[in-house]
Amino acid sequence: MHRCTRVFVTLTAVTALAFGSGSAVAAPKESGDYCGGQCSDILPPGENGNATLADILGNKLFGTRPAHTDDQLAAYGNLAGDYQGLTNSTIENYFNDASFGVPQDKVASVQRPRADVTITRDKARGIPHIKGTTREGTEYGAGYAAGQDRLWLMDLFRHVGRGELSSFAGGAAANRQLEQTFWAAAPYTEKDLQRQVDTIANSGPDGKRALGDINAYLDGINAYAAKAHKQRNFPGEYDLTGHIDPITNAGTIKPFKATDLVAIASVVGALFGSGGGGEVTSALVKQAAEQRYGRERGDAVWRSFREENDPEANLTVHDGQKFPYSASPANPEGVAMPDPGSVQPQQEIYDPTGSAVEKPEAAAQRASTDAKTRAETRGSGDRNAAKGIFDRGVLPGNLLSAKHGMSNALVVNGKHTDDGHPIAVFGPQTGYFAPQLLMLEELDGPGIHSRGAAFAGVSFYVELGRGENYSWSATSASQDVTDTFAMRLCEPDGSPVTKESDHYLDGDRCVPMERLERADSWKPTIADSTPEGSYKLVMYRTKYGLVTHRATIGGKPVAYASQRSSYLHEADSIIGFGKFNDPAQMRTPQDFQRAAAKVNYTFNWFYANDQHTAYYNSGDNPDRPSTVDPNLPITAEKRYEWRGWNPEANTSQTTGFASHPQSIDQDYYISWNNKPAAEYTSPGFGDGSVYRSNLLEDRVRALVHGGRPISRADLVKAMADASVTDLRGEDVLPKLLKVIDSAPVTDPALRETVEKLRRWQRDGAKRVETKKSSQVYANADAIRIMDAWWPLLTTAEFKDGMGAPLFSAMTSALQLNESPSGGQAGEKHGSAGANEDQPHKGSAFQFGWWSYVDKDLRAVLGEPVSGPLAQKYCGSGDLAGCRKTLLDTLAKAAAQSPEEVYPGDEDCKAGQQWCADSIIHRPMGGVTDGKITWQNRPTYQQVVQFTGHP
């Protein structure tokens, strides 16, 4: 114990030297801020994402923690219970002051890592405010601060981006699952990564400036990493994973290089900025529908479930503009439908040894059991307190494979606000991690002045935040920028062709696929006790993209390949992000739209300054032949290729600036990953009459049309109210009750169950505590019943009418449910429901059959439905039969105990409803955080209202 205390004291002293004191250097003065104290932001759990080995052991043994690791968590979490009484003057209780600079009396430390830059950290949150006298110095400071706050996380993501997480962090099942899904989506050689760096350098003056920024940023990261290693105050996870010896300090933190940042950008792009690619799954739904109903009727059923341009869908651009893109033509050419039963996924794992042979489910169960055992047996004096902290992986295994519903935005034109200036409440919903994927910073130097959030490892620019008199944010749009091509397989020697053949026909030539291979291996460490193992990850790259499936068409073997417009171009977006950070290039909404158009990720971008609001949808939308159906696999022939396509560079003609959804000064904008505009085709299933964005639309529209000036507090309250509302309870339960109410409920117990649901619905269908910190929901029993009922009612409503094969294919395309707890999944097939298995993630009600249930019930009730399903399913279209289906399943749901509905996990006991829903910041490092009550809102969030301009 004496030695442990000595380590704490020594490392605390080193930390104080590294960060400096406020008396050593004067804090720079703020400049160019036109917010008038009306800019706020929040990013839980805290800015500090680095913990030394002593810090980690202290957290495990004594519950101590480094400063600023969780000081934004309570403010963020408390809003869910307090929002109804919010005023402009109390916003500061739930958000940080996002003004530029730090007043002298609020300076915690000032550091000068080199002569042309200072890093000032504030007392309240420890956020780095970086001010440079040169642009190079500013970016050097940005890199230095990133190292201070996110070094371990940055190292994790550069390895994820190369498909080698298990070799770096350990062989936990989740680590392997994550690297496998990433390698399948974006496998790159070092040459590929360097080519993206070279592309930036060759992109004119903007590209040269961006590359200079990157190099200075890297210098800052590496300077900090070298200093931290020498002074032994680096993240303790390097010790626990075996990279550095905790006694001798032997080992290395490998210097970062430009290709590492491209690898990190590839992870960000794969997570949040892609879209489409589900054409094989769509084909299997169409095939199953045609087998069930016949070709013509089956095609109609498939189209109705697709809802690609549903007339009842909620739109971000609602001023009557139309932006046609990516719709299925009436008579498509070149459709490459597989033979029934012939599709199989492309093999990725080869030559497994040791623990790699173990099935992922068994490995995950073993890790879970081991974690519970350690938690139960660990004593306060256990010197192995950090043992096994990464046995469940450093990141969720389905981080990439799960569908993501990220981010929301509420923006109101100044004509409707209290002081005549626009208001925005917006931010990205990037999940909950500790440390967070994002970090806060302020950058102030020549040609750059911004404050906000940036992804760790690419924080040379603020990616979502504010400038001098403007702010910007984004939501994921996920429009279709990925197509699937079917290539005829061949053998160069003329031998029989099989689905395993590694050559394909390019015209009349039999050409080889390129084999992209990553060898991974791991051994047990203190942090990850997974037994030794290894494997090879292999993907095959072709002219038409990455091979995802094998099948036959007309009995002849084919490979399906996925061609994504942003593949090999993840780093290109740096130009647009650089413009966002330069006040001189962001004076007008048109400037903003031109900058957003330089981002090739599929995002919805929002902007507000003191006079205007604006919106723009970004992404490299390929220009396809008009006869091609982008929602089904396409025959790999030249006439069906993207126009102007260069397969060597993976570039093509795109649809152009004017074809993207866009708007300036609309009365209001909302987005929660919904349809951007009319006729802008949704690439997935289920974007119809009921969508998560309806919760925002209804509230903001009511404010705008309510006749009373809107304040910042009003817009925050609208967001917060939506964030604690059950979408099913607000938008679908009224129809369910209407069907049930078509006749009296005679059974007393069932009648009481119906009344519980009705009372909950009248109370707003909220999932909120009875009082702060009670950890008990108001209307808890009604919520339990709704959670249990949803998978039962959807299955009973649709499965018999659709038939098992079509129902199975559809649940592969779109999961039935996405509840706050991640449970109550019902039937699921394939990867569609991967995010259902991700508990404590906050985001909910993005993906599910809400629209299908809504449209089907209205049709059965005889109500008008625009864009109806092609069949009536509930009770085969008979109201009495439908009512019986609902009541039968409701009785079964009511009979389920809390323990059955909420079965428990490593963090919650069975039956603990509030705990099952609660948000937990997934530890990617050695320090853990407490639970907060469920709320469905952005992870990083801004509240802004500017009062002037330069």
Side-chain angles (χ1 to χ4, degrees), residues 726-780:
D726 189 309
L727 175 66
R728 304 164 306 180
E730 178 162 306
D731 281 359
V732 186
L733 182 56
K735 285 89 170 182
L736 293 166
L737 292 175
K738 193 169 185 178
V739 171
I740 289 173
D741 289 343
S742 62
V745 178
T746 56
D747 179 85
L750 199 52
R751 186 167 58 246
E752 176 56 27
T753 297
V754 171
E755 287 309 308
K756 287 180 181 179
L757 290 171
R758 199 186 313 277
R759 285 193 295 270
W760 176 55
Q761 191 262 328
R762 287 172 178 165
D763 288 344
K766 301 291 186 283
R767 302 175 80 102
V768 293
E769 294 173 282
T770 53
K771 59 181 180 180
K772 186 181 290 187
S773 303
S774 71
Q775 300 189 5
V776 176
Y777 280 150
N779 293 294

Side-chain angles (χ1 to χ4, degrees), residues 554-836:
K556 296 181 178 180
V558 300
Y560 285 116
S562 179
Q563 181 177 318
R564 171 167 55 88
S565 66
S566 56
Y567 183 66
L568 290 170
H569 295 281
E570 281 89 354
D572 294 4
S573 296
I574 188 175
I575 305 300
F577 286 113
K579 292 179 181 297
F580 288 152
N581 283 251
D582 184 354
Q585 299 190 62
M586 291 285 284
R587 295 299 188 200
T588 68
Q590 292 82 3
D591 289 342
F592 155 73
Q593 290 180 330
R594 284 190 290 269
K598 295 291 185 181
V599 177
N600 68 6
Y601 298 149
T602 57
F603 285 146
N604 300 302
W605 291 99
F606 298 88
Y607 168 92
N609 65 15
D610 66 308
Q611 297 176 315
H612 299 285
T613 62
Y615 163 78
Y616 190 83
N617 164 263
S618 70
D620 282 347
N621 294 353
D623 187 4
R624 304 174 175 94
S626 60
T627 57
V628 164
D629 189 343
N631 302 299
L632 291 169
I634 304 164
T635 302
E637 295 180 9
K638 187 172 182 59
R639 56 183 167 159
Y640 303 129
E641 295 171 0
W642 296 345
R643 292 190 175 104
W645 182 45
N646 177 347
E648 291 299 317
N650 193 40
T651 58
S652 71
Q653 295 178 26
T654 58
T655 56
F657 179 91
S659 68
H660 285 253
Q662 57 194 280
S663 170
I664 294 175
D665 289 334
Q666 187 174 265
D667 54 351
Y668 66 90
Y669 301 99
I670 66 91
S671 177
W672 211 344
N673 316 110
N674 53 290
K675 194 177 189 67
E679 298 185 10
Y680 204 63
T681 301
S682 302
F685 288 71
D687 193 348
S689 58
V690 177
Y691 207 75
R692 185 167 66 169
S693 59
N694 294 20
L695 297 172
L696 298 180
E697 175 71 28
D698 294 344
R699 288 156 175 79
V700 177
R701 184 177 60 238
L703 285 174
V704 169
H705 295 182
R708 184 175 62 84
I710 300 168
S711 68
R712 285 176 293 131
D714 290 331
L715 207 56
V716 172
K717 286 192 284 187
M719 175 281 302
D721 193 67
S723 79
V724 295
T725 299
D726 189 309
L727 175 66
R728 304 164 306 180
E730 178 162 306
D731 281 359
V732 186
L733 182 56
K735 285 89 170 182
L736 293 166
L737 292 175
K738 193 169 185 178
V739 171
I740 289 173
D741 289 343
S742 62
V745 178
T746 56
D747 179 85
L750 199 52
R751 186 167 58 246
E752 176 56 27
T753 297
V754 171
E755 287 309 308
K756 287 180 181 179
L757 290 171
R758 199 186 313 277
R759 285 193 295 270
W760 176 55
Q761 191 262 328
R762 287 172 178 165
D763 288 344
K766 301 291 186 283
R767 302 175 80 102
V768 293
E769 294 173 282
T770 53
K771 59 181 180 180
K772 186 181 290 187
S773 303
S774 71
Q775 300 189 5
V776 176
Y777 280 150
N779 293 294
D781 210 35
I783 294 170
R784 172 190 63 82
I785 293 166
M786 187 75 235
D787 285 343
W789 191 22
W790 186 262
L792 298 176
L793 78 87
T794 49
T795 302
E797 181 178 351
F798 289 98
K799 186 173 183 179
D800 286 349
M802 295 172 70
L806 176 55
F807 187 77
S808 173
M810 267 302 304
T811 53
S812 292
L814 180 67
Q815 64 204 48
L816 296 176
N817 192 23
E818 187 184 6
S819 71
S821 70
Q824 308 94 47
E827 290 193 28
K828 54 184 179 179
H829 303 86
S831 62
N835 54 330
E836 292 176 308

Side-chain angles (χ1 to χ4, degrees), residues 926-945:
V927 175
T928 57
D929 297 289
K931 305 176 182 69
I932 59 173
T933 194
W934 175 74
Q935 47 199 289
N936 200 1
R937 63 182 279 210
T939 315
Y940 165 66
Q941 194 166 41
Q942 300 179 77
V943 180
V944 296
Q945 187 175 28

Side-chain angles (χ1 to χ4, degrees), residues 306-607:
R306 275 280 294 111
E307 295 185 320
E308 65 175 42
N309 281 301
D310 188 79
E312 296 181 332
N314 181 217
L315 306 175
T316 295
V317 178
H318 58 248
D319 60 5
Q321 295 187 81
K322 296 180 179 179
F323 296 90
Y325 174 67
S326 191
S328 297
N331 298 295
E333 298 177 1
V335 175
M337 295 289 288
D339 293 333
S342 70
V343 176
Q344 62 187 53
Q346 171 64 40
Q347 180 181 348
E348 183 184 7
I349 300 171
Y350 290 81
D351 304 330
T353 69
S355 58
V357 179
E358 187 178 23
K359 291 184 178 180
E361 297 82 2
Q365 182 59 47
R366 173 178 49 76
S368 176
T369 301
D370 290 349
K372 287 181 179 179
T373 300
R374 281 191 299 273
E376 292 169 356
T377 59
R378 182 181 296 139
S380 60
D382 191 346
R383 297 180 66 182
N384 288 317
K387 184 175 177 60
I389 59 171
F390 293 152
D391 279 0
R392 288 192 286 164
V394 290
L395 286 159
N398 59 6
L399 182 67
L400 294 173
S401 58
K403 290 184 177 181
H404 294 277
M406 289 76 61
S407 322
N408 69 32
L410 304 81
V411 183
V412 174
N413 189 295
K415 293 179 182 179
H416 304 287
T417 69
D418 52 2
D419 69 355
H421 299 296
I423 300 173
V425 176
F426 47 22
Q429 199 162 357
T430 55
Y432 295 94
F433 303 96
Q436 194 53 258
L437 303 182
L438 297 163
M439 60 173 286
L440 292 175
E441 63 181 355
E442 179 186 347
L443 303 177
D444 186 3
I448 184 169
H449 198 185
S450 56
R451 173 195 163 119
F455 284 96
V458 287
S459 58
F460 39 86
Y461 302 138
V462 168
E463 285 147 8
L464 305 138
R466 57 155 301 201
E468 293 179 350
N469 78 311
Y470 63 90
S471 184
W472 76 98
S473 190
T475 69
S476 292
S478 303
Q479 75 263 21
D480 192 356
V481 296
T482 308
D483 284 345
T484 298
F485 288 88
M487 305 169 299
R488 284 273 304 277
L489 296 176
C490 60
E491 290 290 349
D493 60 2
S495 59
V497 181
T498 69
K499 287 198 290 187
E500 287 70 42
S501 296
D502 60 2
H503 286 65
Y504 66 100
L505 287 175
D506 180 10
D508 58 359
R509 298 183 305 126
C510 187
V511 299
M513 299 175 180
E514 180 184 4
R515 181 183 169 103
L516 301 175
E517 181 178 310
R518 178 71 71 219
D520 285 305
S521 61
W522 54 88
K523 294 181 179 179
T525 64
I526 293 174
D528 185 346
S529 62
T530 304
E532 185 174 359
S534 67
Y535 58 27
K536 293 177 181 176
L537 300 180
V538 176
M539 285 297 292
Y540 287 94
R541 186 162 61 185
T542 73
K543 172 182 176 179
Y544 294 95
L546 302 168
V547 175
T548 62
H549 297 83
R550 307 281 181 139
T552 62
I553 298 177
K556 296 181 178 180
V558 300
Y560 285 116
S562 179
Q563 181 177 318
R564 171 167 55 88
S565 66
S566 56
Y567 183 66
L568 290 170
H569 295 281
E570 281 89 354
D572 294 4
S573 296
I574 188 175
I575 305 300
F577 286 113
K579 292 179 181 297
F580 288 152
N581 283 251
D582 184 354
Q585 299 190 62
M586 291 285 284
R587 295 299 188 200
T588 68
Q590 292 82 3
D591 289 342
F592 155 73
Q593 290 180 330
R594 284 190 290 269
K598 295 291 185 181
V599 177
N600 68 6
Y601 298 149
T602 57
F603 285 146
N604 300 302
W605 291 99
F606 298 88
Y607 168 92

Side-chain angles (χ1 to χ4, degrees), residues 898-915:
E899 288 74 18
E900 292 174 284
V901 181
Y902 312 105
D905 57 22
E906 292 88 346
D907 300 292
C908 303
K909 294 180 180 179
Q912 292 183 333
Q913 182 184 60
W914 178 92
C915 186

Side-chain angles (χ1 to χ4, degrees), residues 139-161:
E139 292 296 349
Y140 182 95
Y144 199 93
Q148 290 176 319
D149 291 349
R150 294 292 190 275
L151 183 60
W152 169 249
L153 181 58
M154 288 155 45
D155 222 341
L156 285 179
F157 271 92
R158 67 169 164 174
H159 286 88
V160 173

